[in-house]
């Protein structure tokens, strides 16, 4: 999407001066305040990807939880379309939660290990309640196909799938609810490089075919640059640098961005090439 089309379209997500503090009890009894988010603002436009990168503990997952309505911000404002997420009633919060789906590093933790792939896919459809029993099976099969999983995997248990297949299943289950926003919190981090690339391609295909909007959270600046229209770099609960991937990769201004860039071996031009063994 170009800068001009951003100006004419409304953002799907708007975050304004978001603050989240946690109280942490120390051993000696005093309470320490952790500023997990310390005044974060950004927008995400429909059909685009914003990547959030940052070191461990910088507040990325806290941001994801606040946006997905699992955590209540200390202060600040969040809008999803025209709806302000602060002060939502539980009934409205449930509607928004369906439209914002979160995908984590290992989706296996959120699958019932005794359920088959098809059962895992039909459960959210049952909860949604607007499909008949007869419609559910074909819908679940269509979801499998949409994420590139063969239909014969339908009877398997999650433990019988590879890491990449499990992550595809996690994406399929999220898509079942027809979300408008997918938040991917380190969703590729546990996978081998080649599998990461395959899932990244799947995400891009889904974005092209369904117009999905993504918040892609990662430590990996190279993957973030590959997938995103815009990158925001976080440190200590704040966005310290934000811009187009090419800008961030070629002219990193903040020390944290330069450190993240140095941690990406394939982009580290300062190192001599590896000698062949
Ligand atoms: N429930 C909680 N109670 C107290 N402190 C918390 C809680 N959740 C997060 N924090 C603190 O808030 C800060 C931000 O944590 P967060 O999990 O958002 O970081 P992150 O960027 O996702 O890190 P990582 O890359 O390791 O996943 C950390 O200092 C963390 O210890
Ligand atoms: Mg995290």
């Amino acid at each position: 999407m170009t800068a001009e089309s951003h100006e004419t379209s409304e953002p799907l997500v708007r975050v304004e001066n978001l603050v989240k503090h946690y109280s942490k009890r120390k051993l000696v009894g005093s309470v320490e305040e952790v500023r997990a988010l310390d005044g974060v603002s950004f927008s995400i436009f429909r059909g685009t990807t914003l990547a959030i990168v940052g070191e461990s503990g910088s507040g990325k997952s806290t941001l994801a939880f606040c946006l997905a309505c699992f955590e209540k911000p200390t202060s600040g404002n969040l809008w999803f379309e025209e709806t302000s997420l602060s002060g939502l009633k539980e009934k409205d919060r449930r509607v928004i939660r369906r439209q914002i789906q979160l995908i984590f590093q290992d989706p296996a933790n959120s699958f019932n290990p005794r359920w088959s792939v098809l059962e895992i896919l039909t459960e959210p459809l049952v909860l949604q309640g607007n499909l008949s029993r007869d419609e559910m099976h074909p819908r679940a099969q269509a979801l499998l196909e949409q994420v590139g999983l063969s239909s014969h995997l339908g009877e398997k248990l999650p433990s019988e799938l590879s890491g990449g297949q499990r992550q595809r299943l996690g994406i399929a289950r999220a898509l079942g609810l027809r979300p408008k926003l997918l938040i991917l919190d380190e969703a590729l981090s546990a996978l081998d490089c080649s599998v990461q690339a395959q899932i990244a391609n799947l995400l891009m295909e889904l974005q092209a075919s369904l117009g999905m909007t993504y918040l892609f959270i990662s430590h990996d600046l190279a993957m973030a640059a590959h997938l995103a229209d815009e990158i925001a770099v976080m440190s200590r609960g704040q966005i310290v640098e934000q811009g187009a991937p090419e800008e961030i990769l070629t002219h990193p201004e903040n020390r944290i961005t330069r450190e993240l860039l140095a941690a990406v071996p394939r982009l580290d031009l300062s190192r001599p090439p590896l000698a062949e063994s």
Side-chain angles (χ1 to χ4, degrees), residues 2-261:
T2 63
E4 289 125 63
S5 56
H6 276 177
E7 280 160 24
T8 51
S9 66
E10 284 291 310
L12 179 68
V13 173
R14 212 147 43 90
V15 175
E16 221 174 71
N17 208 13
L18 197 68
V19 172
K20 175 72 188 177
H21 293 173
Y22 289 110
S23 301
K24 216 176 188 174
R25 200 167 287 281
K26 289 165 93 178
L27 278 180
V28 280
S30 63
V31 174
E32 183 193 21
E33 198 169 55
V34 179
R35 293 163 173 248
L37 295 176
D38 198 10
V40 169
S41 304
F42 61 82
S43 297
I44 315 178
F45 290 83
R46 286 169 205 276
T48 70
T49 301
L50 173 71
I52 303 270
V53 295
E55 79 263 43
S56 189
S58 56
K60 307 180 298 296
S61 295
T62 305
L63 179 61
F65 288 139
C66 289
L67 197 48
C69 301
F70 289 114
E71 284 281 6
K72 226 176 157 180
T74 306
S75 65
N77 287 307
L78 286 158
W79 282 272
F80 185 73
E81 299 185 307
E82 294 306 302
T83 309
S84 164
L85 302 186
S86 6
L88 271 188
K89 295 205 178 78
E90 189 48 40
K91 183 167 73 70
D92 300 322
R93 195 182 304 274
R94 257 182 273 142
V95 175
I96 297 283
R97 266 193 197 151
R98 233 178 268 159
Q99 300 184 32
I100 304 177
Q101 290 291 307
L102 255 169
I103 296 182
F104 297 103
Q105 189 163 335
D106 188 359
N109 297 331
S110 61
F111 298 150
N112 184 327
R114 286 182 293 276
W115 284 0
S116 72
V117 164
L118 278 180
E119 284 170 326
I120 288 168
L121 283 179
T122 43
E123 188 221 22
L125 307 179
V126 172
L127 293 180
Q128 207 175 14
N130 53 7
L131 283 184
S132 71
R133 291 247 152 233
D134 289 349
E135 289 167 319
M136 259 175 228
H137 190 80
R139 172 84 178 119
Q141 288 289 357
L143 286 167
L144 278 183
E145 196 178 321
Q146 205 161 28
V147 299
L149 287 176
S150 145
S151 61
H152 78 262
L153 294 175
E155 301 307 319
K156 300 254 187 224
L157 295 173
S159 56
E160 296 173 293
L161 302 181
S162 69
Q165 288 171 331
R166 274 205 296 272
Q167 201 50 288
R168 284 176 193 267
L169 176 59
I171 295 169
R173 184 176 61 170
L175 290 180
L177 293 169
R178 301 191 192 280
K180 292 181 180 163
L181 176 70
L182 271 192
I183 303 178
L184 300 131
D185 189 351
E186 304 284 1
L188 307 185
S189 308
L191 305 170
D192 290 348
C193 264
S194 65
V195 183
Q196 281 194 12
Q198 288 163 14
I199 306 281
N201 285 342
L202 170 68
L203 291 171
M204 292 197 285
E205 282 162 27
L206 292 171
Q207 188 162 55
S209 58
L210 304 173
M212 287 302 305
T213 307
Y214 298 135
L215 179 65
F216 181 78
I217 294 174
S218 180
H219 286 86
D220 183 345
L221 197 44
M223 184 55 87
H226 179 61
L227 277 173
D229 299 279
E230 195 164 14
I231 296 179
V233 180
M234 278 189 74
S235 173
R236 297 170 177 229
Q238 296 186 333
I239 293 179
V240 293
E241 183 162 4
Q242 184 167 354
E246 318 79 78
E247 271 301 301
I248 299 270
L249 292 186
T250 53
H251 300 103
E253 287 188 354
N254 190 278
R255 177 182 58 83
I256 301 288
T257 315
R258 286 196 290 271
E259 283 172 11
L260 287 168
L261 209 48

